Amino acid sequence: MRKVIVTIIVSVTLIQLTAQQNIDEKVNELVSRLTLQEKIELLGGTGFDSKPVERLGIPAIKMADGPLGIRWGNATAFPATIALGATWDKQLAYNVGKGIAKEVRDKGRDMLLAPCVNLVRTPHGGRNFESYGEDPVLTAVLSTSYIKGVQSEDVLACIKHYAVNNQEYKRMTIDAVIDERVLREIYLPAFKSGVQNGNVATVMSAYNVLNGTYCSENDFLLNTILKNDWGFDGFVVSDWGAVHSTLGTAKYGVDIEMPNGKYLNETVTELVENGDVDQEIINDKVRRLIKVAMRFGFFDDRSYQSKEDPYDANKKLAYDAAAAGIVLLKNTNSILPINVDEVKTIALIGPNAAVNRAGGGGSSRVNYSYSVSPFDAFMSKYGDKLKIISEPGVRSKTELNIIPSQYLKTEFNGEIVSGFTGQYYNNKNLEGDPELVRVDEKIDFKWVAGGPAESIGVDNFSVRWKGKLIPETSGKFELGVASDDGVRLFINGEKVIDEWIDRAVAYNGYALALESGKEYNIIIEYYENGGAAEVGFGWIKADSQLLDKAVAAAKAADVVVVFAGLSEHYESEGYDRPDLTLPEDQLKLLAALDQLGKEHVLVINNGGQLVMPEVYANADAVLEAWFPGQEGGNAIADILTGVVNPSGKLPYTIGKKWQDYSSYDYYPEENDQIFYKDGLFIGYRHFDKNEIEADFNFGFGLSYTQFKIDDVKLSASKISSEADQLTVTCKLTNTGDVAGAEVIQLYTAYENPKVVRPEKDLKKFEKVYLEPGETRVVELSVIPSDLAYYSIEKRSWVTDNGKYYILLGSSSREQDLVQRVFEIDLK
Ligand code: BGC
C-alpha cells in the first residue's frame, strides 16, 4: 500500500514538474521572439490596462479597482473589508472574492486590484475601512481566502499595498522607518500568505517610502523578500503614480508601471543599451507577465458565459456578508432584539437612518445600482405593521445633493437652456482653446472607465463650467463641490473654493444666503490628473428645525434607534480622519436625545475606530455596522429585530482615548518620517503590554444567545519535532434559545521568552454555527513554526524551546480565555 502511495505522489509531482517546464519553455520561447522595444513597451500600462503585443498574441491585462466590489460600471457593493474582517469567516471571505470576480469576468476585465491587507495601526487612517483590522493572522487568513475566491474565477488578484502603507497622511512620500523583525512578524504575514498559500498572481507596490527607499524601487522588499525568500513568480504593479525613477525601479522592483510607463517606457532603452540595466532584468519582468497570462488562460479562449446573473446572485452574498460582520458591542437588559410584535412606533433618528453608508471614499468606491438604507428596510419589512418615523436630526454637512438642472441656466448657441456650459480642455490647466464645448444638464460626473469624451481621454484634462444658479427658495444654503482631483468654485466672480491639487475625492462647502429667483453667476473649474475622475456640484438648505423634529420623533416612539457615524465624506483614501469621535453636530443630537432620558439603541457606520466612551456608555445597546455595502439597511434591520443573530467580532481594539493607541507617540510624522517604534506592539498587543483597559477588546462581540466552552484539551503536553502538531479541542455549546455563531479564538503566550514578545498572539480561529442546545467539538491546531519569531541575527525564523500557553476562548479579553500549558522541546 505504502509503495503505491509513494509511486502516485512521485508521478503527480513529475506531472506537475513537466507542466511547469512546459509553461516555462513556452514563456521563454515567447520572450525570445520579442524585440527589446516591445519588451520595454510592456513595462508601462495605459490607464487601467497593460499593453498588448498583437503581433505575438500577447493580450492586454485589464484591471479594475476593488476591494469592496469591482469599480467598473454598475456593480455590487459589498461591505467594507473591515466588516469582512469582523465576520472572522474564511468561507465567506472566499465567497465574496469569488462573487466579485464573477462580475469582473462579466465586465470583460481580468484583474481585481484587491485585497488591501495593510493593517489598522492608527485609528486615524483614512483607508482603515479597506483593511481587515489590526491583526496579522486574521488579515492573512481572510485575505488569502478572498484571493483564492477571486482567482477561482480565473481573475488575477492583486494584494496591496506592499508595504507598510498604514496612513493616508503624506502617503505619497512618508518614510516608514521600521525594524526588520517587526516588518516580518506584523506587517508582512498577510502578503506572505497571499503569495505562499494563495498563490496570488500580482502584488501592488505602495506609494510610501520604506526605510529610506520608495517601495517601488525597494530591492529588499521586492527582490530579497518577495521574489527570493517567498518565491513569488507573479508580477508587481506599481500603485498609480508610485514610480519615481527609471534606474532604481527597473533594477529593484516593479514589473509594470501604472497608470502609464512614464519612467519605465521612456528611458529604459538607453539604460539597457549602455549596460546600466542588464537585459535579463527586463526579460524577467516580461516573463512574469506572460507566465501569469498563461496561467490564467489568456492564450486560450477567455470568453465568459456565466450560468447565473452574477449581480443577482451577489445581492444575497452582499447581504450575508453585511449581516455576518455586524458586531453587537453592548446590549443592556437585552433591549435588543426589538420585538416587532410588541412595538407600535419606532423612531429611526440620525443622518445615517435614511441614507445607507455603503462604503468609504476613494478608489474602492463602487457604483452600485441600488442601496438599501435602514429606513428603506424597516419600511419594506414592517411598514404596514408599525409606525416608522425617520428624522435625520442633523444634516451631515458633507452631504452633496446634486443641484438639478431646473435651477441651472446657461446661454448656448444664442439660446437660454437648462444646465451649465462645459468647456473641456485636453490639458490640466484650462489652457488654449477647449477641445469640446457642450451643455451639461447638471454637474454630477463619475468617470471611471472612460473620460468625458473620446477626444478628451481619461486623464490629464480640465473643464470649466459656466452658468447661472437660480434658486426657488430663499434661505441659508451651503454650496458644495466634491472632486477628484482639483476644483475651484467662483460665485459672482469671487473665488470661494480653491483646491487646485491632486486628491482622492473630497468635499468642500461654502455657506451663503440665497434669494429666491435671484441669478448667481457660477464658474466651476476642475482638472483630472490620473485614475478615477469625478466632480459634483450640490447644495444643502439649512433647516433650523431638524434637531427639534428628531427629539419630538424620539419622544413619540416606543423604540428609538439612532443611526450615527461616518460616511465616504469623512473616511476616505487620500486623507486621514482629523479626530476619532462623531462629527460635532451628531454629538449635539445625541446630547439632546439623552436629555429625554429614554432608552436608545445606537447603530454606527465607520471603518476606523470611533473612540468615544461616553457615547457608548450612554447608549443602551450598540451595534457596530461598519460601511455595510448596498444591502446594509436590510442586514441592520434584521439584526435589530432578531431575524439574524449578530455574530461579528471586533477586528481591532477600541480604546478609551487616542492616547491609548500604540501609534500615539509617533503619528502622523516627524520630518517626513513615521517611526514604527511601537514595534510588535500594535493593537491588542499594545493594550496587553501596557495594561491599558480598552473600551472594547479585539475579538469581542455579543450574541442574542449564550455559548459555553468547556473540555479544553491538548493532544500532547510536549512537542518534540518541527513536524508535530498540537491539536487543541474544546466543546462548544449554544446554551441559549436561538441559533447563532461563535468564533473560537486561539492565542498563544510564552513563559520567559528569550526575546521580546507580545503577551499573547492570535494564531488560529474558527467560526461555528450552532442551533439552540447544540454542542460541537471544535478542533484547532498549532505547529512549532506558528510560534516562531524572526531572528535578525540568524536571518531566519526561530522557535525557542520552553514553556508556552494556549489561550482559548471567545475574545481576546482575559476573562474570556481558558489557559492550558505545553512545552516545546525541539532537538
Ligand atoms: C490606490 C490604489 C488603487 C489605484 C488605482 C491608488 O490611488 O492607492 O489602491 O488601486 O489608485 O485606482
Side-chain angles (χ1 to χ4, degrees), residues 450-754:
E454 224 172 281
S455 58
I456 306 296
V458 291
D459 294 325
N460 299 315
F461 64 87
S462 50
V463 192
R464 179 184 289 116
W465 284 281
K466 279 184 181 174
K468 292 187 193 307
L469 169 71
I470 311 169
E472 229 173 38
T473 44
S474 302
K476 282 189 188 158
F477 280 79
E478 183 169 301
L479 292 185
V481 278
S483 69
D484 164 353
D485 294 282
V487 71
R488 297 184 189 120
L489 175 67
F490 300 80
I491 304 175
N492 291 337
E494 189 194 343
K495 185 163 36 169
V496 295
I497 291 173
D498 189 359
E499 292 290 329
W500 206 245
I501 46 167
D502 291 354
R503 62 182 193 177
V505 66
Y507 172 88
N508 302 92
Y510 179 74
L512 79 172
L514 294 178
E515 268 176 51
S516 156
K518 196 169 160 188
E519 295 186 350
Y520 297 84
N521 288 320
I522 303 289
I523 297 177
I524 302 162
E525 293 178 343
Y526 162 77
Y527 83 84
E528 157 63 359
N529 179 30
E534 62 179 86
V535 54
F537 176 46
W539 60 7
I540 304 160
K541 188 163 193 286
D543 179 351
S544 55
Q545 305 294 304
L546 276 181
L547 201 135
D548 295 346
K549 285 191 226 165
V551 173
K555 226 180 198 166
D558 309 325
V559 174
V560 179
V561 187
V562 185
F563 295 84
L566 308 176
S567 70
E568 77 256 35
H569 300 296
Y570 293 96
E571 257 186 294
S572 171
E573 177 179 339
Y575 54 88
D576 285 346
R577 267 192 302 154
D579 48 50
L580 301 180
T581 183
L582 291 171
E584 196 64 38
D585 49 0
Q586 295 190 29
L587 290 173
K588 278 193 195 141
L589 169 66
L590 283 167
L593 293 172
D594 279 346
Q595 293 226 314
L596 278 182
K598 248 184 140 156
E599 280 188 331
H600 76 269
V601 177
L602 175 69
V603 178
I604 49 172
N605 291 121
N606 57 297
Q609 294 94 331
L610 280 171
V611 180
M612 44 182 199
E614 294 82 18
V615 173
Y616 297 129
N618 286 343
D620 297 279
V622 180
L623 272 192
E624 170 59 85
W626 315 108
F627 294 133
Q630 66 185 34
E631 283 284 337
N634 281 330
I636 293 169
D638 284 350
I639 297 256
L640 285 171
T641 53
V643 174
V644 174
N645 190 353
S647 64
K649 299 276 180 175
L650 282 180
Y652 56 45
T653 311
I654 303 180
K656 291 189 170 159
K657 50 188 186 309
W658 163 215
Q659 288 82 343
D660 288 350
Y661 284 90
S662 71
S663 49
Y664 175 73
D665 286 334
Y666 317 109
Y667 173 87
E669 57 144 359
E670 202 182 310
N671 300 325
D672 290 335
Q673 292 183 306
I674 168 88
F675 292 96
Y676 281 64
K677 288 188 188 159
D678 42 348
L680 305 171
F681 301 95
I682 78 160
Y684 62 90
R685 293 166 172 81
H686 167 81
F687 282 76
D688 279 355
K689 179 182 175 215
N690 297 292
E691 296 180 357
I692 302 167
E693 203 189 313
D695 214 3
F696 299 102
N697 286 276
F698 173 78
F700 174 78
L702 300 168
S703 164
Y704 296 149
T705 186
Q706 295 81 43
F707 296 96
K708 191 173 86 188
I709 298 174
D710 55 10
D711 242 358
V712 179
K713 284 189 192 136
L714 308 189
S715 58
S717 55
K718 193 191 241 184
I719 304 188
S720 319
S721 117
E722 287 283 359
D724 272 3
Q725 177 170 300
L726 179 76
T727 308
V728 185
T729 51
C730 74
K731 262 196 208 157
L732 176 68
T733 308
N734 178 349
T735 57
D737 45 21
V738 287
E742 179 59 295
V743 178
I744 296 295
Q745 305 167 30
L746 186 160
Y747 298 81
T748 52
Y750 321 89
E751 191 168 88
N752 304 322
K754 291 191 191 136

Side-chain angles (χ1 to χ4, degrees), residues 41 78 283 361 499 586 604 642 660 777 779 806 808 826:
E41 276 302 302
F78 285 87
N283 289 345
E499 292 290 329
Q586 295 190 29
I604 49 172
D660 288 350
V777 175
E779 196 178 293
I806 293 286
L808 191 88
L826 303 175

Side-chain angles (χ1 to χ4, degrees), residues 48 65-66 113 127 130 160-161 165 171-172 204 207 239-240 363 531-532 573:
F48 275 85
D65 261 314
L113 302 171
R127 294 182 90 168
E130 286 187 64
K160 67 188 189 184
H161 308 82
N165 178 185
R171 68 167 171 164
M172 303 282 181
M204 184 189 288
Y207 283 125
D239 200 343
W240 270 230
S363 63
E573 177 179 339

Side-chain angles (χ1 to χ4, degrees), residues 33-44:
R33 288 166 58 198
L34 287 163
T35 64
L36 176 62
Q37 199 44 44
E38 280 172 331
K39 289 181 207 168
I40 287 173
E41 276 302 302
L42 282 171
L43 308 186

Side-chain angles (χ1 to χ4, degrees), residues 114-259:
C116 166
V117 301
N118 301 117
L119 300 182
V120 175
R121 175 173 183 248
T122 167
H124 293 273
R127 294 182 90 168
N128 283 344
F129 71 91
E130 286 187 64
S131 302
Y132 290 88
E134 70 186 20
D135 184 76
V137 169
L138 180 65
T139 302
V141 171
L142 296 180
S143 61
T144 299
S145 299
Y146 177 101
I147 289 168
K148 287 182 180 167
V150 169
Q151 298 195 162
S152 70
E153 291 291 323
D154 285 334
V155 168
L156 287 62
C158 179
I159 195 164
K160 67 188 189 184
H161 308 82
Y162 188 66
V164 199
N165 178 185
N166 307 101
Q167 66 186 59
E168 290 301 280
Y169 184 74
K170 293 199 174 178
R171 68 167 171 164
M172 303 282 181
T173 49
I174 196 95
D175 181 5
V177 182
I178 187 167
D179 163 278
E180 185 183 347
R181 182 175 166 210
V182 177
L183 183 67
R184 298 228 190 212
E185 287 186 31
I186 302 288
Y187 296 93
L188 295 192
F191 290 101
K192 184 180 180 187
S193 169
V195 169
Q196 298 193 329
N197 306 325
N199 203 3
V200 71
T202 74
V203 173
M204 184 189 288
S205 63
Y207 283 125
N208 51 285
V209 175
L210 187 119
N211 291 336
T213 309
Y214 275 110
C215 288
S216 296
E217 49 190 272
N218 199 307
D219 194 28
F220 182 63
L221 261 189
L222 297 168
N223 286 333
T224 309
I225 299 186
L226 177 68
K227 293 180 180 173
N228 295 333
D229 285 7
W230 299 346
F232 175 64
D233 67 353
F235 62 84
V236 177
V237 287
S238 73
D239 200 343
W240 270 230
V243 169
H244 298 269
S245 74
T246 307
L247 185 61
T249 311
K251 281 175 89 161
Y252 302 128
V254 161
D255 300 309
I256 303 187
E257 180 187 355
M258 296 303 288

